Amino acid sequence: MSLAPVGTGHYLVLSAALLAIGCAGLLLRRNVIVILMSIELMLNAVNINLVAFSGHWRHVTGQVFAIFVITVAVAEAAVGLGILIALFRNRGTVLADEIDLLKW
Amino acid sequence: MDDALFYIFAAITLTGAVLTITRRNPVHCALALIFSLLGVAGLFLLQAAEFLFAAQILLYVGGVMVLFLFTIMLLHLEDAVKLRRYSRQWPVAVAALGAVLLELCVFIQTGVAGLPPRPAERMNLTGNTERIGDALFRQFSLPFEAASLLLLVAIVGAVWTAKKKDEVAE
């Protein structure tokens, strides 16, 4: 089996696959903790993309953007898990389809 | 050698990701996600992004995942583990996912063909961390300060939301 030499395109395909897996987890799972983990997967897919293009253009801006993405991901995880704890205390469940207070 | 490493790290990343969204127990999901994030860190290293490699391991594997595991162990999830894993609206989800995948395939197919070749390696480059620090504190100093404000708001918000409400009244 012969494979083409790894270029930027390979990284893009990998990142698209990771984004699709994260998207599947986000849409399909019921457990809110796993949904938050899927969001982390999708953010990592974006980071792979940014770093691949940063390597392609030999320019550091993509990596700086990846740092900002990591910052936002950390903030999102902290606030999301805080909300999750408050939610579990009030409703006693972490299943996304049982939290339907705003549904009409 | 680099090609082989790429395929190894890609396999680790994708296997970890698939295990993350299919395992029943959230603790197993978190452990699989740690493997996936380590694979991503390896890919950063292959792209010569050493600073991001360190940040990925310190922040994600050391910080965020510990936070996830603490939360999982704080909540009593034994009941949720026994129930259905997947949402009832899965046909809609699969259709949306197919649309996203199709779109990504089209964009990558058309985009990679039109991608210009890599520019030549510039001489006398400084280290990766120096260059990132330079860009961060000169060109991107305003977004950097905004990010620090965001982190402050996130800390206060996380503490306030996770707090018991009768403690607020006291």
Side-chain angles (χ1 to χ4, degrees):
Chain A
M1 190 173 80
S2 76
L3 294 160
V6 171
T8 308
H10 285 73
Y11 283 91
L12 298 190
V13 171
L14 172 67
S15 142
L18 196 57
L19 188 91
I21 293 172
C23 197
L26 177 74
L27 292 172
L28 287 172
R29 290 293 299 243
R30 290 174 82 209
N31 195 327
V32 178
I33 292 184
V34 183
I35 290 177
L36 282 174
M37 290 183 198
S38 306
I39 295 175
E40 301 293 330
L41 276 179
M42 292 167 81
L43 288 166
N44 267 280
V46 173
N47 272 351
I48 292 177
N49 230 334
L50 286 170
V51 173
F53 276 113
S54 159
H56 185 90
W57 295 112
R58 304 196 189 288
H59 202 282
V60 84
T61 309
Q63 295 179 25
V64 175
F65 260 80
I67 290 173
F68 288 129
V69 171
I70 290 179
T71 314
V72 172
V74 169
E76 172 259 323
V79 175
L81 292 172
I83 291 173
L84 194 59
I85 289 176
L87 191 66
F88 188 75
R89 188 178 289 137
N90 287 329
R91 304 289 308 259
T93 181
V94 288
L95 298 178
D97 48 6
E98 288 181 13
I99 305 162
D100 52 2
L101 211 60
L102 285 177
K103 220 169 172 180
W104 52 278
Chain B
M1 182 62 189
D2 270 9
D3 288 8
L5 280 176
F6 171 81
Y7 287 114
I8 292 170
F9 285 134
I12 292 174
T13 305
L14 291 181
T15 314
V18 169
L19 286 177
T20 303
I21 65 161
T22 50
R23 289 291 93 189
R24 188 172 282 274
N25 191 330
V27 179
H28 298 173
C29 294
L31 293 177
L33 183 56
I34 288 176
F35 267 99
S36 185
L37 296 177
L38 285 174
V40 175
L43 290 170
F44 288 166
L45 201 55
L46 276 185
Q47 284 282 353
E50 290 92 1
F51 181 77
L52 271 177
F53 164 76
Q56 174 88 0
I57 289 186
L58 283 174
L59 287 177
Y60 265 115
V61 182
V64 175
M65 291 321 294
V66 171
L67 198 62
F68 267 104
L69 284 169
F70 262 114
T71 313
I72 292 168
M73 288 166 186
L74 270 175
L75 309 177
H76 297 285
L77 296 173
E78 288 83 13
D79 305 337
V81 170
K82 296 189 201 88
L83 297 173
R84 269 186 311 120
R85 261 174 295 177
Y86 299 112
S87 160
R88 209 176 282 112
Q89 283 89 6
W90 63 268
V92 186
V94 170
L97 194 63
V100 169
L101 261 180
L102 192 70
E103 189 182 9
L104 285 174
C105 286
V106 169
F107 275 133
I108 288 177
Q109 284 244 313
T110 52
V112 168
L115 201 63
R118 285 168 175 248
E121 189 95 54
R122 268 169 291 182
M123 299 310 286
N124 59 41
L125 283 179
T126 46
N128 175 256
T129 310
E130 283 93 329
R131 279 193 294 151
I132 286 182
D134 204 49
L136 207 54
F137 288 115
R138 284 175 205 273
Q139 199 182 351
F140 296 103
S141 51
L142 183 67
F144 181 76
E145 295 300 330
S148 66
L149 189 66
L150 172 75
L151 284 178
L152 178 68
V153 172
I155 294 169
V156 176
V159 170
W160 189 80
T161 39
K163 204 162 144 183
K164 276 204 181 92
K165 286 299 173 255
D166 46 7
E167 287 170 18
V168 180
E170 280 167 11

